Amino acid sequence: MSLDAMTWAWEQQLVPTDKFVLLAIADLADEDGTYSLGLHRIAKKCRLNARRVRRLVDKMVDLGLIRIEEQYRPDGSKDSNLYFLSVNGATTP
């Protein structure tokens, strides 16, 4: 957990469900504000449908709060995305 990411997430002006998801991501993010364990874990943590979490994350991408980088395995199959929180105004690691 990154204390900076959690503090930043609490400061965001979001409706409760959006903030709850952002806080869950921040709670599991590393010190750089990067999360890579998949949205199903966030959905389970928040007790929300994975599709709903995906929509909320897409909304936060549109707001500039999160940047997503797709990841692929060596065989070309899809892996969990990397999610970068815009802590301190930056969405890059």
Side-chain angles (χ1 to χ4, degrees):
M1 174 181 70
S2 165
L3 184 57
D4 289 339
M6 288 297 292
T7 301
W8 170 83
W10 275 111
E11 293 171 350
Q12 302 312 303
Q13 299 300 310
L14 299 169
V15 297
T17 305
D18 296 9
K19 184 173 276 193
F20 189 45
V21 169
L22 186 63
L23 285 165
I25 294 170
D27 183 46
L28 295 170
D30 65 16
E31 290 301 316
D32 295 324
T34 303
Y35 173 75
S36 64
L37 301 175
L39 294 183
H40 287 286
R41 177 173 273 186
I42 298 300
K44 185 175 180 179
K45 186 176 182 81
C46 294
R47 302 201 184 274
L48 294 171
N49 178 291
R51 181 177 280 172
R52 175 105 188 261
V53 170
R54 164 96 298 218
R55 283 194 308 265
L56 294 174
V57 167
D58 288 344
K59 179 179 172 183
M60 287 182 247
V61 168
D62 292 342
L63 293 171
L65 300 175
I66 296 175
R67 182 178 64 81
I68 299 174
E69 184 178 300
E70 293 184 343
Q71 299 292 297
Y72 296 92
R73 295 180 186 95
D75 67 2
S77 63
K78 186 101 171 70
D79 202 353
S80 293
N81 292 334
L82 288 176
Y83 299 88
F84 300 97
L85 298 176
S86 184
V87 179
N88 299 321
T91 53
T92 55

